[in-house]
Structure formats: C-alpha cells, structure tokens
Amino acid sequence: MTSLVAGRLVLLYEEQARSAPRALRQDIEAVTELYREVVRTGDDALLSGAELGKYLNRLHSFDVSKCDFESVPVEAVEYSYEGVPEEVRAGVLSFELSNNGKENHELALFRKNDGVKEPLDTLLKLAGAEFDERMTLVGVARTPPGNRAFSVSRVSAGEYAVVCFQPTATSGGPPHHTKGMFEEFKVV
C-alpha cells in the first residue's frame, strides 16, 4: 500500500469517526492511527498484524449486526471454496472467508463485464490487461491458515466469480486458481 492510499484511508476513517456511534469510535481511532503510522513510516507491514485485524473485525461485527446486508460464509481449503452460493440477490454482500486450509488463501471477487461470453477458466488464462478488460475486481479478502477475513461489496445483477490468486505453498508456485480454486455465481 502506498502512503497516498494510506493517507486517503486516514481521511475516510476520520470522517467516519465524526458520525460513528460512540461504541465504535475507539476502534475507528485505533485503525486511523495505524494508517497514520503507515503514512509516517511507509511500513506496510503494520497493516498485516493481528492488531489491525482485531479492530476491523469488531467494526465489521457491528456492521453485520446493524446494517442491512447479507453475509455469505465461504470456507477456503486446498484448493477449493466451500459454500459459494449459485445465486444471490443484488445489494450489499459481506463475503465471510474462513481459511480452513494449511496455506494462505484469498477470495478475490470479480464481476464479469457485460457482453463477456468466455468461460471463467478461459478468462483466467489471459494476460493481466486482457483479463482486466473482461473482469472487474469488486473486493478481496485474504487470510492466513486458521483465520477469517471479510470483503463487503455492493453488487448489481450479473455474472460473478471468486478466485484465489495466492501462490501454492511452494515458493513462487502457481496460483491456487490453476488447481481449481475458483467458483462462479449469479447476482439477480
């Protein structure tokens, strides 16, 4: 993450703190301070620790309990997802990723662009720019083994996919999707 992105997140969280319920302000302020430290030091590693996850998970728990969006629990194992529904309603979705495998996993959420007819396994073989012309990234959740992560996104009707681009445990190994870790679903 660049300092510019972290700086924008500082502004976003400062704005949220002004209107957030009192119960959330301390967690929002802690997250804001972590992003400020990234801006000051340029050290992205500050964002991969358990401390940030603790605050974000508490904020997310509040969102799930109070906001009107659907939670979609998904389990990641080597090398597949379990629990991806065939169809969900348009609106705000929270993909709740549990990593029950022994490797790092992610859930990269994509929308197939209108008019794209190729199957997902063909699209995943395309070079970066060609893939980006056909698929739009909507959200990402990444987590090490035994942990949880989430990605909240507003989705509209269309064809979607979840894909794991994490490399296999072998250093620099092929991405998990080459071993079948991808699923498609529709939003209606």
Side-chain angles (χ1 to χ4, degrees):
M1 170 178 298
T2 67
S3 292
L4 177 63
V5 172
R8 289 182 180 162
L9 289 169
V10 166
L11 296 175
L12 175 70
Y13 280 106
E14 286 175 343
E15 182 179 327
Q16 286 182 347
R18 288 191 284 277
S19 61
R22 184 178 306 276
L24 299 180
R25 286 190 189 139
Q26 185 175 7
D27 288 335
I28 292 173
E29 289 168 4
V31 170
T32 305
E33 188 52 39
L34 283 168
Y35 283 115
R36 279 190 193 112
E37 188 65 18
V38 170
V39 171
R40 281 192 294 272
T41 65
D43 184 4
D44 292 350
L46 295 168
L47 303 178
S48 61
E51 187 175 4
L52 178 63
K54 172 181 72 174
Y55 298 123
L56 292 177
N57 284 330
R58 285 199 305 238
L59 293 169
H60 183 63
S61 293
F62 180 88
D63 291 344
V64 169
S65 69
K66 303 292 184 191
C67 298
D68 185 27
F69 57 78
E70 184 177 347
S71 289
V72 180
V74 176
E75 291 183 33
V77 295
E78 279 77 36
Y79 295 100
S80 65
Y81 296 109
E82 297 173 1
V84 176
E86 290 181 21
E87 188 175 283
V88 295
R89 290 175 299 150
V92 179
L93 298 180
S94 178
F95 281 87
E96 309 286 329
L97 180 65
S98 296
N99 185 346
N100 296 327
K102 295 181 181 178
E103 297 184 27
N104 291 334
H105 288 295
E106 72 181 356
L107 181 147
L109 174 62
F110 290 91
R111 184 180 190 279
K112 190 182 278 190
N113 294 338
D114 293 336
V116 174
K117 301 294 182 205
E118 296 104 326
L120 181 59
D121 60 342
T122 299
L123 294 172
L124 288 169
K125 294 174 186 169
L126 297 175
E130 290 181 275
F131 181 82
D132 292 344
E133 290 172 1
R134 292 168 176 83
M135 302 287 286
T136 300
L137 181 65
V138 179
V140 177
R142 290 184 185 98
T143 183
N147 286 328
R148 299 174 46 90
F150 60 88
S151 177
V152 178
S153 303
R154 180 173 298 280
V155 295
S156 58
E159 295 181 46
Y160 287 77
V162 292
V163 181
C164 187
F165 289 96
Q166 292 290 303
T168 56
T170 312
S171 180
H176 291 175
H177 72 78
T178 63
K179 295 182 174 277
M181 195 166 184
F182 60 88
E183 294 285 335
E184 297 179 85
F185 65 97
K186 290 186 185 210
V187 175
V188 294

Short mmCIF file of all heavy atoms in Angstrom, two decimals, residues 77-79 103-106 164-169 173-182:
data_model
loop_
_atom_site.label_atom_id
_atom_site.label_comp_id
_atom_site.label_asym_id
_atom_site.label_seq_id
_atom_site.Cartn_x
_atom_site.Cartn_y
_atom_site.Cartn_z
N VAL A 77 -10.17 -24.06 1.46
CA VAL A 77 -9.29 -25.20 1.75
C VAL A 77 -8.40 -25.38 0.52
O VAL A 77 -8.57 -24.69 -0.48
CB VAL A 77 -10.09 -26.48 2.07
CG1 VAL A 77 -10.90 -26.33 3.34
CG2 VAL A 77 -10.98 -26.87 0.91
N GLU A 78 -7.48 -26.30 0.58
CA GLU A 78 -6.64 -26.56 -0.59
C GLU A 78 -7.43 -27.43 -1.55
O GLU A 78 -7.76 -28.54 -1.20
CB GLU A 78 -5.34 -27.27 -0.18
CG GLU A 78 -4.27 -26.34 0.33
CD GLU A 78 -4.51 -25.88 1.75
OE1 GLU A 78 -5.01 -26.66 2.56
OE2 GLU A 78 -4.23 -24.72 2.05
N TYR A 79 -7.71 -27.13 -2.70
CA TYR A 79 -7.67 -25.89 -3.45
C TYR A 79 -9.08 -25.64 -3.97
O TYR A 79 -9.35 -25.73 -5.16
CB TYR A 79 -6.67 -25.99 -4.60
CG TYR A 79 -5.25 -26.15 -4.09
CD1 TYR A 79 -4.64 -27.39 -4.05
CD2 TYR A 79 -4.55 -25.04 -3.61
CE1 TYR A 79 -3.35 -27.53 -3.55
CE2 TYR A 79 -3.26 -25.18 -3.11
CZ TYR A 79 -2.68 -26.42 -3.09
OH TYR A 79 -1.42 -26.55 -2.58
N GLU A 103 -2.59 -23.33 3.81
CA GLU A 103 -1.89 -22.29 3.06
C GLU A 103 -2.68 -20.99 3.17
O GLU A 103 -3.85 -20.99 3.54
CB GLU A 103 -1.77 -22.68 1.59
CG GLU A 103 -0.94 -23.93 1.36
CD GLU A 103 -0.76 -24.25 -0.12
OE1 GLU A 103 -0.80 -23.33 -0.96
OE2 GLU A 103 -0.59 -25.44 -0.43
N ASN A 104 -2.03 -19.88 2.82
CA ASN A 104 -2.75 -18.61 2.72
C ASN A 104 -3.77 -18.72 1.59
O ASN A 104 -3.51 -19.36 0.58
CB ASN A 104 -1.78 -17.47 2.39
CG ASN A 104 -0.85 -17.16 3.52
OD1 ASN A 104 -1.15 -17.40 4.69
ND2 ASN A 104 0.30 -16.61 3.19
N HIS A 105 -4.92 -18.10 1.80
CA HIS A 105 -5.96 -18.10 0.76
C HIS A 105 -6.55 -16.71 0.66
O HIS A 105 -6.46 -15.90 1.59
CB HIS A 105 -7.06 -19.10 1.08
CG HIS A 105 -6.64 -20.53 0.91
ND1 HIS A 105 -6.30 -21.06 -0.31
CD2 HIS A 105 -6.48 -21.52 1.82
CE1 HIS A 105 -5.97 -22.33 -0.15
NE2 HIS A 105 -6.06 -22.63 1.14
N GLU A 106 -7.18 -16.48 -0.48
CA GLU A 106 -7.90 -15.23 -0.68
C GLU A 106 -9.19 -15.51 -1.44
O GLU A 106 -9.34 -16.56 -2.07
CB GLU A 106 -7.06 -14.20 -1.43
CG GLU A 106 -6.86 -14.49 -2.89
CD GLU A 106 -5.99 -13.45 -3.58
OE1 GLU A 106 -5.61 -12.45 -2.96
OE2 GLU A 106 -5.70 -13.65 -4.77
N CYS A 164 -8.88 -17.47 -6.20
CA CYS A 164 -7.72 -17.38 -5.32
C CYS A 164 -6.46 -17.28 -6.17
O CYS A 164 -6.13 -18.19 -6.93
CB CYS A 164 -7.62 -18.60 -4.39
SG CYS A 164 -6.30 -18.42 -3.16
N PHE A 165 -5.76 -16.14 -6.04
CA PHE A 165 -4.52 -15.90 -6.78
C PHE A 165 -3.28 -16.16 -5.93
O PHE A 165 -2.16 -15.93 -6.39
CB PHE A 165 -4.48 -14.45 -7.30
CG PHE A 165 -5.45 -14.19 -8.41
CD1 PHE A 165 -6.70 -13.64 -8.15
CD2 PHE A 165 -5.12 -14.52 -9.71
CE1 PHE A 165 -7.60 -13.41 -9.18
CE2 PHE A 165 -6.01 -14.28 -10.76
CZ PHE A 165 -7.25 -13.73 -10.49
N GLN A 166 -3.46 -16.63 -4.71
CA GLN A 166 -2.31 -16.91 -3.84
C GLN A 166 -1.47 -18.03 -4.46
O GLN A 166 -2.00 -18.98 -5.02
CB GLN A 166 -2.79 -17.34 -2.45
CG GLN A 166 -3.45 -16.25 -1.66
CD GLN A 166 -2.45 -15.20 -1.24
OE1 GLN A 166 -1.45 -15.47 -0.60
NE2 GLN A 166 -2.72 -13.96 -1.63
N PRO A 167 -0.13 -17.93 -4.34
CA PRO A 167 0.71 -18.99 -4.87
C PRO A 167 0.63 -20.24 -3.98
O PRO A 167 0.38 -20.14 -2.79
CB PRO A 167 2.11 -18.39 -4.83
CG PRO A 167 2.04 -17.33 -3.77
CD PRO A 167 0.63 -16.82 -3.76
N THR A 168 0.87 -21.38 -4.59
CA THR A 168 0.89 -22.61 -3.79
C THR A 168 2.03 -22.52 -2.79
O THR A 168 2.92 -21.67 -2.91
CB THR A 168 1.07 -23.85 -4.69
OG1 THR A 168 2.25 -23.70 -5.45
CG2 THR A 168 -0.13 -24.07 -5.59
N ALA A 169 2.01 -23.40 -1.81
CA ALA A 169 2.99 -23.36 -0.72
C ALA A 169 4.42 -23.36 -1.23
O ALA A 169 5.31 -22.82 -0.59
CB ALA A 169 2.76 -24.53 0.23
N GLY A 173 5.19 -20.81 -6.49
CA GLY A 173 4.41 -21.81 -7.20
C GLY A 173 3.22 -21.20 -7.93
O GLY A 173 2.93 -20.01 -7.78
N PRO A 174 2.53 -22.01 -8.72
CA PRO A 174 1.41 -21.48 -9.48
C PRO A 174 0.27 -21.03 -8.56
O PRO A 174 0.14 -21.54 -7.44
CB PRO A 174 0.98 -22.66 -10.35
CG PRO A 174 1.47 -23.87 -9.61
CD PRO A 174 2.71 -23.43 -8.89
N PRO A 175 -0.54 -20.08 -9.03
CA PRO A 175 -1.65 -19.61 -8.20
C PRO A 175 -2.67 -20.73 -7.97
O PRO A 175 -2.82 -21.64 -8.79
CB PRO A 175 -2.26 -18.46 -8.99
CG PRO A 175 -1.63 -18.47 -10.32
CD PRO A 175 -0.44 -19.37 -10.29
N HIS A 176 -3.36 -20.63 -6.86
CA HIS A 176 -4.34 -21.66 -6.48
C HIS A 176 -5.42 -21.88 -7.53
O HIS A 176 -5.92 -22.99 -7.67
CB HIS A 176 -4.97 -21.31 -5.13
CG HIS A 176 -4.03 -21.40 -3.99
ND1 HIS A 176 -4.39 -21.03 -2.72
CD2 HIS A 176 -2.74 -21.82 -3.89
CE1 HIS A 176 -3.36 -21.22 -1.89
NE2 HIS A 176 -2.35 -21.68 -2.59
N HIS A 177 -5.78 -20.81 -8.26
CA HIS A 177 -6.85 -21.00 -9.25
C HIS A 177 -6.44 -21.99 -10.34
O HIS A 177 -7.29 -22.63 -10.95
CB HIS A 177 -7.32 -19.67 -9.84
CG HIS A 177 -6.36 -19.02 -10.78
ND1 HIS A 177 -6.18 -19.42 -12.08
CD2 HIS A 177 -5.52 -17.97 -10.60
CE1 HIS A 177 -5.28 -18.65 -12.67
NE2 HIS A 177 -4.86 -17.76 -11.78
N THR A 178 -5.13 -22.17 -10.57
CA THR A 178 -4.69 -23.15 -11.57
C THR A 178 -4.95 -24.58 -11.10
O THR A 178 -4.91 -25.51 -11.90
CB THR A 178 -3.19 -22.98 -11.93
OG1 THR A 178 -2.41 -23.25 -10.77
CG2 THR A 178 -2.91 -21.60 -12.48
N LYS A 179 -5.22 -24.73 -9.81
CA LYS A 179 -5.55 -26.04 -9.26
C LYS A 179 -7.07 -26.18 -9.03
O LYS A 179 -7.51 -27.09 -8.35
CB LYS A 179 -4.80 -26.26 -7.95
CG LYS A 179 -3.29 -26.33 -8.17
CD LYS A 179 -2.59 -26.60 -6.85
CE LYS A 179 -1.13 -26.83 -7.06
NZ LYS A 179 -0.81 -28.20 -7.44
N GLY A 180 -7.83 -25.20 -9.56
CA GLY A 180 -9.28 -25.28 -9.50
C GLY A 180 -9.94 -24.40 -8.45
O GLY A 180 -11.14 -24.52 -8.22
N MET A 181 -9.20 -23.52 -7.79
CA MET A 181 -9.78 -22.70 -6.72
C MET A 181 -10.43 -21.45 -7.30
O MET A 181 -9.90 -20.34 -7.21
CB MET A 181 -8.74 -22.36 -5.67
CG MET A 181 -9.37 -21.83 -4.40
SD MET A 181 -8.17 -21.82 -3.05
CE MET A 181 -9.24 -21.30 -1.73
N PHE A 182 -11.60 -21.65 -7.90
CA PHE A 182 -12.44 -20.57 -8.39
C PHE A 182 -13.86 -21.08 -8.50
O PHE A 182 -14.08 -22.28 -8.67
CB PHE A 182 -11.93 -20.02 -9.74
CG PHE A 182 -11.88 -21.04 -10.85
CD1 PHE A 182 -12.97 -21.26 -11.67
CD2 PHE A 182 -10.72 -21.74 -11.08
CE1 PHE A 182 -12.92 -22.20 -12.70
CE2 PHE A 182 -10.63 -22.67 -12.11
CZ PHE A 182 -11.74 -22.90 -12.92
#
